Amino acid sequence: MTYDIRRFAEYTGQMPGDSTYEVENLEQLWVYCRGNSTQLQHLVGYLPFELQDDVFVLGVGDYSTGPGWMDASVLLPVAFEGQTGGTYLFEYEDQHASVAMGRESWGYPKAFARVDMLRVDNRVSARVKDYDQHVFGVEATLDNSVDDSAWSHLSLYPQFQVRAVPEKNGPGFDSFDVVSRDPSVDYVAKSRRTGTADVSIGRIDIANGILGGEPLEVVTVLGAELLVGDYKSTAANGVPRVVKSFL
């Protein structure tokens, strides 16, 4: 029997790991929250990174004008071997193919969930749900009443993720790599509005339960921003590269 293993990629429905894509007029709502530093340190302890701040981001992005998915996330400022950047601690998307590719090829901790975002005038509402389980929600008013002084110091790019392939017959991993990408290099900003936001946190650890039934704590909401721009995940900057292999 002669078999072309590339056929299996079609069977899985996954995007190839070297995929590039563009999103014209990408809308991203980023809400900056001060968290519990002890809790955040505990969560980052699962990863080979160092926490850089107790401010984290609740993000929602509308990729419908490009590859088609809706995305939501919890993003932390971290450092890896002296280089600062960001890591997606939790992430959710509403397409099976993008969840599988993001997890298996690029190391993003994606879980399948419903993500909705509604914009009316200067108000934006966003909801993330795992079937009937509330994950998180945001109500933002983008009236430019808040400046970004509370979060402008954050370094969230490049992005660092862990791409680990489990052993098929053991508790460890066949490979364990830290990978990095920086799509901000090719991003073209078009507009930005800031404002206030209210957030509600449900069960945010739907894929792994690492919070042990406790909520992700928000000490205070510092503000929000709605970013609109042309997003490009290019071969040069959007496809991850391995920065360190642990195995």
Side-chain angles (χ1 to χ4, degrees), residues 9-24:
E10 299 176 32
Y11 170 76
T12 65
Q14 288 185 217
M15 298 167 58
D18 61 352
S19 292
T20 60
Y21 58 92
E22 299 182 7
V23 186
E24 186 177 2

Side-chain angles (χ1 to χ4, degrees), residues 52-169:
Q52 293 298 292
D53 205 287
D54 62 359
V55 175
F56 66 88
V57 180
L58 293 176
V60 180
D62 182 354
Y63 290 74
S64 61
T65 61
W69 58 72
M70 294 290 294
D71 179 274
S73 59
V74 177
L75 179 62
L76 296 183
V78 298
F80 179 68
E81 297 193 338
Q83 184 177 8
T84 59
T87 192
Y88 281 74
L89 182 66
F90 302 109
E91 189 173 12
Y92 320 91
E93 286 181 355
D94 61 353
Q95 288 189 0
H96 293 290
S98 67
V99 169
M101 191 278 276
R103 287 181 67 97
E104 297 175 19
S105 296
W106 288 7
Y108 285 84
K110 295 184 180 183
F112 186 83
R114 177 170 179 172
V115 182
D116 296 304
M117 184 166 67
L118 176 65
R119 180 179 178 184
V120 179
D121 298 324
N122 68 343
R123 295 187 62 85
V124 179
S125 300
R127 294 286 182 275
V128 185
K129 294 185 68 176
D130 175 31
Y131 294 93
D132 294 330
Q133 175 73 54
H134 177 63
V135 178
F136 75 80
V138 173
E139 297 285 342
T141 301
L142 289 310
D143 55 4
N144 292 321
S145 60
V146 177
D147 66 30
D148 64 358
S149 58
W151 65 82
S152 60
H153 64 285
L154 293 180
S155 177
L156 297 171
Y157 292 96
Q159 296 165 0
F160 295 106
Q161 303 299 143
V162 174
R163 182 183 183 271
V165 178
E167 288 182 312
K168 58 183 175 294
N169 57 356

